[in-house]
């Protein structure tokens, strides 16, 4: 048994050829590094920024601090909320359809690509970015300058079918939160809380809650049970439920985001 790698077990070739135990963890680490580098190469080979001729279907806003390659790849983490057996089968079917072809090719689908598939009935996803930001695969990456970024965000948000806003505490994110509440209907906003584990999400949510709770007319939940929150027409928050909400609502998109995003 190799310390730190209990799933590898003992060298099966002992007595045939002598292979040092350190070879197995090195091979495993090399495979992981190869996958990450391949994903990174794919990201930086993609077309980085586009000019939109019309409003996006989905406007995706997030703190640029979430844009390191590692966080873009792995900052989610499924919520594992209880759901019915039939819904588990639906989630499994979707996951296999999205991931299997790319896993066989050595890379899995990232959350931007899965998000685009989940929301394709609403139109294409547009992600605001900086020149140094790694592009979000699966989205139209739109560059906005420091001079006009606020005007551009407002223009895109007004025309979008949905706005997915990742919670944060930077001045830019808090400005986005305040203005989304002012200019778009509550049913168009999905609030996403980042973090690869429930503990991290709750910590991030607590920081966000301390700064942004008063911005929302009906407040926000004190406890977080899922990574996403949607809103009723009076801005009352809606948490993810066990049952799948009706198709065509932001709650339906949020339910699927909670269950299938990696």
């Amino acid at each position: 048994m190799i310390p730190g790698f209990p799933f590898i077990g003992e060298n099966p070739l002992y007595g045939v050829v002598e292979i040092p135990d350190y070879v197995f963890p090195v091979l495993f680490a090399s495979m992981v590094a190869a996958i990450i580098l391949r994903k990174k190469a794919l990201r930086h080979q993609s077309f980085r920024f586009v000019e939109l001729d019309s409003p996006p279907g989905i406007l995706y806003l997030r703190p640029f601090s979430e844009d390191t390659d590692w966080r873009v790849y792995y900052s989610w983490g499924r919520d594992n909320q209880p759901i019915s057996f039939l819904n588990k089968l639906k989630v499994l079917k979707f996951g296999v359809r999205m991931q299997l072809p790319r896993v066989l090719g050595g890379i899995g689908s990232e959350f931007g690509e899965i998000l685009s598939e989940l929301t394709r009935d609403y139109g294409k996803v547009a992600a605001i970015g900086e020149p140094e930001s790694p592009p979000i695969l699966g989205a139209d990456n739109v560059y906005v300058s420091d001079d006009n970024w606020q005007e551009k965000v407002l223009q895109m948000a007004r025309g979008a079918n949905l706005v997915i806003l990742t919670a944060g505490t930077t001045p830019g994110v808090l400005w986005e939160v305040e203005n989304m509440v002012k200019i778009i209907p509550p049913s168009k906003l999905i609030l996403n809380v980042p973090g690869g584990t429930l503990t991290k999400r709750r910590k991030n949510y607590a920081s966000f809650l301390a700064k942004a709770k008063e911005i929302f007319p009906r407040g926000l939940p004190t406890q977080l049970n899922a990574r996403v929150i949607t809103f009723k027409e009076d801005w009352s928050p809606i948490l993810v439920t066990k049952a799948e909400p009706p198709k065509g609502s932001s709650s339906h998109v949020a339910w699927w985001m909670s269950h299938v995003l990696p």
Side-chain angles (χ1 to χ4, degrees):
M1 190 73 70
I2 301 173
F5 293 85
F7 53 86
I8 293 178
E10 296 183 354
N11 180 356
L13 298 180
Y14 280 147
V16 179
V17 59
E18 185 176 350
I19 300 177
D21 283 342
Y22 66 79
V23 168
F24 292 98
V26 169
L27 287 174
F28 178 75
S30 299
M31 289 173 58
V32 172
I35 291 173
I36 293 175
L37 289 174
R38 187 171 178 185
K39 289 162 76 74
K40 187 171 183 176
L42 179 64
R43 175 181 307 287
H44 290 283
Q45 287 171 4
S46 68
F47 192 76
R48 292 188 63 80
F49 294 106
V50 300
E51 289 288 339
L52 296 182
D53 297 326
S54 58
I58 313 291
L59 177 60
Y60 176 60
L61 303 171
R62 81 278 188 198
F64 293 141
S65 60
E66 291 295 309
D67 275 357
T68 63
D69 280 318
W70 181 260
R71 289 188 178 183
V72 165
Y73 298 151
Y74 302 114
S75 65
W76 289 80
R78 289 187 176 86
D79 283 323
N80 293 320
Q81 294 292 311
I83 56 175
S84 69
F85 177 73
L86 290 178
N87 281 336
K88 282 183 180 180
L89 292 179
K90 290 172 65 175
V91 168
L92 179 61
K93 179 181 177 182
F94 180 90
V96 170
R97 178 165 60 86
M98 284 297 301
Q99 295 289 6
L100 186 58
R102 302 203 68 191
V103 168
L104 293 176
I107 50 176
S109 296
E110 295 179 14
F111 78 83
E113 297 165 300
I114 299 175
L115 182 63
S116 295
E117 178 66 19
L118 287 178
T119 58
R120 62 180 179 175
D121 290 344
Y122 292 86
K124 294 197 70 175
V125 176
I128 299 290
E130 293 181 315
E132 298 80 13
S133 303
I136 303 297
L137 295 181
D140 287 332
N141 291 270
V142 181
Y143 169 66
V144 291
S145 67
D146 291 339
D147 297 332
N148 72 339
W149 75 270
Q150 293 176 326
E151 177 185 347
K152 190 71 173 178
V153 166
L154 294 177
Q155 177 186 352
M156 295 173 70
R158 288 190 180 99
N161 295 318
L162 284 178
V163 176
I164 299 175
L165 197 159
T166 299
T169 57
T170 63
V173 171
L174 294 175
W175 179 89
E176 289 171 345
V177 173
E178 184 174 358
N179 281 275
M180 293 307 103
V181 171
K182 289 179 180 178
I183 69 168
I184 66 172
S187 58
K188 285 175 58 171
L189 181 64
I190 297 177
L191 182 64
N192 160 52
V193 181
T197 65
L198 181 58
T199 300
K200 289 181 181 178
R201 285 197 293 276
R202 284 177 173 170
K203 181 179 179 180
N204 291 337
Y205 181 68
S207 300
F208 176 74
L209 191 64
K211 298 234 179 222
K213 183 177 181 180
E214 300 304 321
I215 296 176
F216 292 86
R218 303 298 294 268
L220 290 170
T222 56
Q223 297 292 326
L224 185 71
N225 78 329
R227 72 157 61 94
V228 282
I229 300 172
T230 54
F231 299 91
K232 298 179 181 178
E233 292 300 335
D234 64 351
W235 284 106
S236 296
I238 306 171
L239 297 176
V240 171
T241 59
K242 180 178 179 179
E244 180 183 0
K247 190 174 181 180
S249 65
S250 58
S251 294
H252 182 263
V253 175
W255 187 92
W256 276 96
M257 286 174 62
S258 178
H259 289 295
V260 304
L261 282 171

